[in-house]
Amino acid sequence: TWSDQPSGSAKNTQSSTGADMAFPTSPDELTTEWLTEVLGYNVSHFQVEAFGEGAGIIGMVTRLHLDSVGGPKSVIAKFPSPAEENRAVAATYDMYGREISFYRDIADRISLRVPACYHTDHDPETNTFVILMEDLQDWTIGDQVAGCSEEEAMQVIDGIARLHGDTWRTDIDIVSHNNPSQRDGMIGGFGVGWPVVQAEFPDLIPESAANIGDRVPANVGKLLNRMTEDPVCISHADVRLDNVFFGDGEIALVDWQSVCTSAPEQDLAYFVTQSLSDDVRNARDWVLLYHEALISNGVNDYPLDQCRERYRVSALYLVCYAAIIAGTLDLGNERGRALGRTLFGNAMRSLDELNAFELLK
């Protein structure tokens, strides 16, 4: 059922960037004629399958079941979120434009497995887009609440090390994670989320984090500056288990709406401190294993001590992610509360073990 297009290839991608180029911006606007034209094979009929709750918050993700000749039985179609407030967030951070840029300019320059991209359209003026990509239906998607095994964690570590090694000191034109919108968003978002997690999850907050409410926002800019000093590379910037697909001994990463340049340790710290359960996180020296994988992927001028120091800085900065996500999820929903408690608890325990809150002094 899968396309023979090479993994991560975007060579067949088409893109339009003007309002005069009409393209569907929701599943309701899809037609067999448009699908036939952009996919390059005859599509006589299709069915739209909506994903369950929690899939595609910033964008709408659907599966198209196709009756066609010469193509796969299904593809993934991604559109703007139907929620106005979510589209506003996407516009602030150019999240739709970033994902289009990834598939257009970066996907075929990296060895990390990503879904093959069949077609893109994007209009930055109206903040609309559509992406048609490979359906990884035969793969197993990760679950941030359930966690993963040591073996699966190592697959993720190896995967992101390949991404970072392939793009070390990159010349790819993509936004830095250290930008005014990101800084202001983290400061404002932490200010909103921290009181919520204090009220909802007080048992998860260690003594070392008791007084960080004012100190984290005051230090976001400094932490970002340290994270984006040379060397930087391409960062997925959202490496959590819900965005990881596991195949036969390898992973694929999806949801590239936050792609940027940053410290390689940003992806590492986000995954290790917020997606791994305590027993898996403490089972191995993941920073050392990551550094070894980075070296094996061609990076030979990066000391382990520097990697450890930037990991600690990145982990502290990412407490903003934990507070914002856990503080804005629908905590009345069973999955939302479980996810909030899991990622926030993982982050608090990780930062306490790293003595990372000492950096705020």
Side-chain angles (χ1 to χ4, degrees):
T1 60
W2 306 112
S3 167
D4 290 329
Q5 187 171 356
S7 302
S9 173
K11 293 180 180 178
N12 291 338
T13 299
Q14 303 175 44
S15 181
S16 58
T17 56
D20 57 329
M21 303 290 287
F23 58 86
T25 60
S26 73
D28 293 341
E29 298 176 7
L30 287 168
T31 64
T32 55
E33 291 79 11
W34 183 82
L35 288 168
T36 295
E37 178 183 354
V38 300
L39 290 174
Y41 48 80
N42 183 61
V43 178
S44 59
H45 179 74
F46 67 91
Q47 254 186 327
V48 179
E49 177 189 349
F51 281 87
E53 184 176 7
I57 297 172
I58 298 299
M60 177 191 290
V61 184
T62 62
R63 174 178 286 124
L64 307 183
H65 297 276
L66 307 178
D67 289 337
S68 64
V69 177
K73 299 297 183 184
S74 61
V75 299
I76 298 299
K78 194 168 184 178
F79 303 94
S81 169
E84 184 177 350
E85 61 271 23
N86 293 353
R87 293 195 305 275
V89 171
T92 298
Y93 298 103
D94 189 28
M95 298 177 80
Y96 300 156
R98 287 201 215 185
E99 188 158 38
I100 294 291
S101 294
F102 170 77
Y103 283 112
R104 185 187 63 217
D105 302 328
I106 302 173
D108 59 357
R109 298 176 62 172
I110 61 175
S111 55
L112 172 68
R113 181 73 157 87
V114 300
C117 183
Y118 304 134
H119 182 82
T120 66
D121 273 304
H122 178 224
D123 184 352
E125 294 183 6
T126 59
N127 195 36
T128 54
F129 79 101
V130 61
I131 301 176
L132 300 180
M133 68 184 81
E134 178 185 10
D135 186 358
L136 299 175
Q137 198 168 9
D138 285 351
W139 294 55
T140 301
I141 191 169
D143 184 332
Q144 195 166 0
V145 175
C148 67
S149 67
E150 289 181 45
E151 181 182 359
E152 289 170 328
M154 195 65 234
Q155 291 175 20
V156 177
I157 298 297
D158 284 338
I160 61 175
R162 288 167 60 192
L163 168 66
H164 300 156
D166 288 344
T167 60
W168 195 253
R169 291 194 167 104
T170 182
D171 61 351
I172 296 172
D173 184 18
I174 197 77
V175 66
S176 169
H177 194 69
N178 188 4
N179 64 77
S181 293
Q182 186 68 35
R183 182 196 63 228
D184 295 346
M186 292 300 100
I187 292 172
F190 182 87
V192 171
W194 184 248
V196 176
V197 294
Q198 281 184 302
E200 294 289 337
F201 308 117
D203 58 309
L204 300 180
I205 301 175
E207 185 178 345
S208 59
N211 299 310
I212 68 169
D214 294 327
R215 288 187 289 154
V216 166
N219 281 275
V220 165
K222 296 175 184 178
L223 294 169
L224 280 170
N225 288 341
R226 292 175 70 180
M227 288 169 57
T228 51
E229 293 172 350
D230 181 71
V232 296
C233 59
I234 294 294
S235 172
H236 178 277
D238 198 11
V239 180
R240 54 193 179 86
L241 281 171
D242 288 357
N243 286 332
V244 179
F245 281 77
F246 293 93
D248 186 13
E250 67 172 334
I251 67 157
L253 277 182
V254 301
D255 196 352
W256 291 85
Q257 293 181 332
S258 299
V259 66
C260 60
T261 58
S262 187
E265 293 80 11
Q266 177 173 342
D267 284 340
L268 176 67
Y270 190 36
F271 173 66
V272 172
T273 65
Q274 298 190 32
S275 281
L276 297 188
S277 61
D278 294 355
D279 58 336
V280 174
R281 186 178 67 253
N282 294 320
R284 303 192 189 185
D285 184 344
W286 296 110
V287 179
L288 174 62
L289 292 172
Y290 166 79
H291 186 263
E292 291 174 348
L294 195 61
I295 298 303
S296 71
N297 280 278
V299 177
N300 53 20
D301 58 349
Y302 195 55
L304 177 59
D305 287 348
Q306 185 177 3
C307 183
R308 290 194 187 279
E309 190 269 340
R310 294 178 93 188
Y311 174 83
R312 192 165 172 244
V313 168
S314 297
L316 177 59
Y317 162 76
L318 290 163
V319 74
C320 295
Y321 279 37
I324 292 170
I325 297 172
T328 57
L329 286 167
D330 178 6
L331 298 178
N333 169 270
E334 184 177 351
R335 160 73 179 177
R337 186 168 184 84
L339 178 57
R341 185 172 182 84
T342 298
L343 70 88
F344 184 71
N346 286 343
M348 289 293 102
R349 291 187 294 274
S350 298
L351 292 168
D352 191 49
E353 293 164 4
L354 289 166
N355 294 319
F357 295 117
E358 292 294 316
L359 295 172
L360 296 174
K361 298 179 181 179

